[in-house]
Amino acid sequence: MKTSAALLVALAASYSLTFAQGIGEELGLPRRLAPGEEHTLSYAELVAHGRDVFSAKFTAQEGQGRPMTKGTGEPLADGADPLVFPRNQNRVSGPEANSCVGCHGVPIVGGAGEFVSNAWVMGQRFDYADFDDLDATPTDGSMDENGAPVELDTIGNSRQAMGLFGAGFVEMLTRQITADLQAIRDGIAPGESDRLVSKGIRYGVLRRDAAGNWDTSLVEGLSAPSLATTGPNDPPSLIIRPFHQASAVVSIREFANGAMNHHMGIQTSERFGFGADPDQDGFTDELGVADVSALVSFVASMNVPGRVIPDDPTRRDAIRAGEETFAEIGCADCHIPSLPLDDNGWRFSEPNPFNPPGNLRPEDAYVAAHGTLGVDLTDDALPGARPKPQNGVVHVNVFTDFKLHDITNGPGDPNVEPLDMNEAPGSPEFFAGNSRFLTGKLWGVADQMPYYHHGRYTTMRQAVDAHAGEASDVMVQWNALTEGERLEVIEFLKSLRILPEESRSLVVDERGRRVDWPAFPE
């Protein structure tokens, strides 16, 4: 999104007037940063403000709600029936929240959510989900794009709110993988093909025919938007999208811009336009670029999950045996314990060069006027213990391959979602449903129950037992284990914990003291 320098100055002057808290006013975030102010604060101050943004309970007096727009940002299907009280909040189609921490708060601020805080992803394409059979307007309250009635289980995909711990490392890993895949892509001449490999992860084969057209049919693990191509001069982006269980979002920033509107009805300037009031609630620039940058800085700097190793020698032996079995039966083929960040990739920077339009990008006028942000994610000044560079590499124990996999039993499996969020709403592909999910990041898994994309499993054992499809070979080996061996794997998973922000080691005992523990088996 581009804006002139004059408008930036005007916006800076207007912020203190628009959001100054007067006597009797009720504002969730009374302090707003002026454009460019994020570059005048210390990083600690910026992160502290970002935490305030994340925790703020936004109110109608600062633009919370979206009377005339859907959670997608599109106008209401029925503009004659705006989303004002008592239609201002809706648990299914939104807005259904007042703060980020309302859903992301277990076990601490920025964490996962319990089942009660699940979101109906794609339910936001409806004005106000009331399931009224007499309402025939498509995507108003009860009928989908084709005029078919919807039910609670089909209007959207019920998804657990994911924990955001270590999100800065996650984003930087996927930036590097994307850059590697694009470099391979750019070296493929018409009539040739090449394997897509980064950090030891295989993403299949990309081909071109003699005319230069791109063939993505053998590419593995990427979502539809990353494979889209219209011809020789429009190569697939191959962007890794690490956020959302179905791999739909590129960056923390894109996630924040979308969630603010979808869940809270707060329109960010960079997504909806500087000085714009798309939802017609009388508020413009409800969250500015500087405030979003602060929010991103807070999330990117969140503490990194680690290990808690009990003092009990029997449990220690079980954890060690469980780690080995986890690797031996093939779990670690997808839940890769450690991925390398090299070339100073641990220096998180904003904005992400792969951000889509509607999110701050390096080429935008705002960046030209104010510059970029950055932080060393290994800095001890940030919360919690941090992985450190070793011989020019930071090893991140994230337990994923950042690929989409179908681990369901097929169309009848209740783990299959009714909608594919990566396809055009209303299209046959959209209604065909989704059975492919990003390999879960297992770091911190023991403190982020419930489990699976839908949060309907209350134990890790249930989640493991539900694996099928592409995980079938591993499940054969899992089922061949003795019950004691399976319990040891669960005991190992129970050691993957969210550590206190004051922790100075990534592997500790129950009292927080450092534990020397072998590296994960390869």
Side-chain angles (χ1 to χ4, degrees):
M1 190 70 68
K2 297 186 182 295
T3 188
S4 67
L7 180 54
L8 289 173
V9 173
L11 283 172
S14 70
Y15 259 63
S16 60
L17 298 174
T18 304
F19 291 104
Q21 187 161 358
I23 300 299
E25 286 187 323
E26 303 170 72
L27 305 180
L29 188 67
R31 169 161 163 67
R32 306 297 177 100
L33 301 182
E37 189 178 353
E38 69 271 37
H39 296 276
T40 68
L41 302 176
S42 70
Y43 196 77
E45 292 171 330
L46 185 65
V47 168
H49 182 72
R51 187 185 183 100
D52 289 342
V53 177
F54 194 92
S55 302
K57 294 177 173 60
F58 292 100
T59 76
Q61 292 185 7
E62 56 198 321
Q64 191 274 341
R66 39 180 169 79
M68 299 302 296
T69 54
K70 299 172 180 284
T72 60
E74 298 297 319
L76 297 180
D78 183 2
D81 204 0
L83 303 182
V84 296
F85 181 81
R87 289 165 52 89
N88 58 314
Q89 302 263 99
N90 186 291
R91 184 65 187 83
V92 176
S93 55
E96 79 281 27
N98 296 90
S99 68
C100 301
V101 77
C103 294
H104 298 276
V106 178
I108 59 175
V109 173
E114 296 184 4
F115 184 76
V116 69
S117 63
N118 270 24
W120 271 267
V121 175
M122 299 312 300
Q124 76 271 22
R125 72 192 202 282
F126 282 76
D127 292 8
Y128 186 84
D130 59 7
F131 306 100
D132 180 0
D133 292 341
L134 299 179
D135 183 356
T137 303
T139 71
D140 183 8
S142 67
M143 301 291 178
D144 66 22
E145 289 84 349
N146 297 330
V150 294
E151 299 176 350
L152 184 62
D153 289 340
T154 61
I155 192 172
N157 301 326
S158 181
R159 295 261 187 86
Q160 183 204 18
M162 300 175 66
L164 300 172
F165 302 104
F169 284 103
V170 168
E171 182 165 332
M172 294 309 296
L173 279 168
T174 55
R175 289 191 203 182
Q176 287 198 341
I177 295 172
T178 295
D180 287 347
L181 300 187
Q182 290 186 347
I184 295 169
R185 175 202 66 191
D186 294 345
I188 301 175
E192 297 182 351
S193 64
D194 204 350
R195 297 184 182 277
L196 299 174
V197 182
S198 176
K199 302 186 185 298
I201 308 168
R202 299 180 182 278
Y203 291 89
V205 177
L206 181 62
R207 303 186 297 188
R208 301 185 74 180
D209 65 18
N213 294 296
W214 300 89
D215 179 0
T216 62
S217 61
L218 297 180
V219 177
E220 303 170 358
L222 301 188
S223 59
S226 297
L227 300 178
T229 173
T230 58
N233 297 321
D234 178 30
S237 72
L238 306 180
I239 292 174
I240 305 296
R241 302 166 190 268
F243 303 106
H244 265 294
Q245 290 95 324
S247 186
V249 175
V250 172
S251 63
I252 300 169
R253 191 171 204 107
E254 184 186 7
F255 189 93
N257 281 317
M260 278 289 169
N261 180 64
H262 172 183
H263 300 297
M264 287 165 273
I266 293 289
Q267 289 81 46
T268 61
S269 301
E270 63 196 80
R271 175 63 59 86
F272 292 93
F274 294 89
D277 181 17
D279 62 344
Q280 301 175 45
D281 63 356
F283 292 90
T284 61
D285 303 300
E286 294 174 3
L287 199 68
V289 173
D291 291 308
V292 174
S293 292
L295 174 60
V296 172
S297 298
F298 164 67
V299 174
S301 302
M302 283 181 60
N303 49 313
V304 177
R307 305 286 301 274
V308 175
I309 307 298
D311 292 330
D312 178 6
T314 301
R315 290 189 180 276
R316 286 195 171 202
D317 289 344
I319 290 171
R320 198 181 306 275
E323 286 183 23
E324 294 174 355
T325 301
F326 182 88
E328 288 170 358
I329 68 174
C331 300
D333 293 349
C334 295
H335 295 284
I336 300 173
S338 178
L339 291 175
L341 266 177
D342 53 16
D343 295 332
N344 288 307
W346 51 90
R347 293 200 60 83
F348 183 86
S349 61
E350 270 292 288
N352 186 320
F354 304 113
N355 276 344
N359 303 277
L360 192 68
R361 299 199 286 180
E363 64 267 28
D364 289 349
Y366 188 98
V367 177
H370 300 296
T372 61
L373 290 169
V375 65
D376 182 349
L377 295 174
T378 69
D379 192 335
D380 287 333
L382 299 180
R386 302 264 148 183
K388 300 295 184 180
Q390 298 177 359
N391 300 317
V393 177
V394 170
H395 296 279
V396 185
N397 296 133
V398 68
F399 287 90
T400 185
D401 60 2
F402 294 114
K403 290 174 66 174
L404 287 167
H405 295 280
D406 184 350
I407 57 170
T408 74
N409 276 313
D413 190 325
N415 289 304
V416 175
E417 293 182 322
L419 306 173
D420 188 338
M421 68 181 301
N422 288 314
E423 299 290 351
S427 67
E429 294 80 9
F430 176 74
F431 288 118
N434 174 56
S435 61
R436 299 202 306 153
F437 302 94
L438 271 177
T439 301
K441 299 181 288 292
L442 294 185
W443 59 353
V445 64
D447 286 321
Q448 300 186 81
M449 85 82 90
Y451 303 110
Y452 247 52
H453 54 276
H454 46 57
R456 285 186 166 95
Y457 295 140
T458 59
T459 68
M460 290 180 281
R461 178 62 179 269
Q462 289 174 310
V464 172
D465 287 337
H467 283 59
E470 293 181 40
S472 294
D473 290 345
V474 175
M475 291 308 293
V476 169
Q477 297 188 65
W478 167 260
N479 291 323
L481 298 174
T482 66
E483 179 60 13
E485 289 170 327
R486 288 192 286 266
L487 293 175
E488 288 170 344
V489 173
I490 299 302
E491 197 65 26
F492 153 61
L493 295 174
K494 286 168 58 180
S495 75
L496 305 179
R497 302 286 300 276
I498 305 300
L499 304 180
E501 291 186 353
E502 63 272 16
S503 178
R504 292 295 95 189
S505 175
L506 285 169
V507 185
V508 299
D509 64 14
E510 295 143 310
R511 285 168 284 183
R513 300 175 303 183
R514 182 170 182 259
V515 171
D516 290 322
W517 195 259
F520 291 104
E522 295 297 332

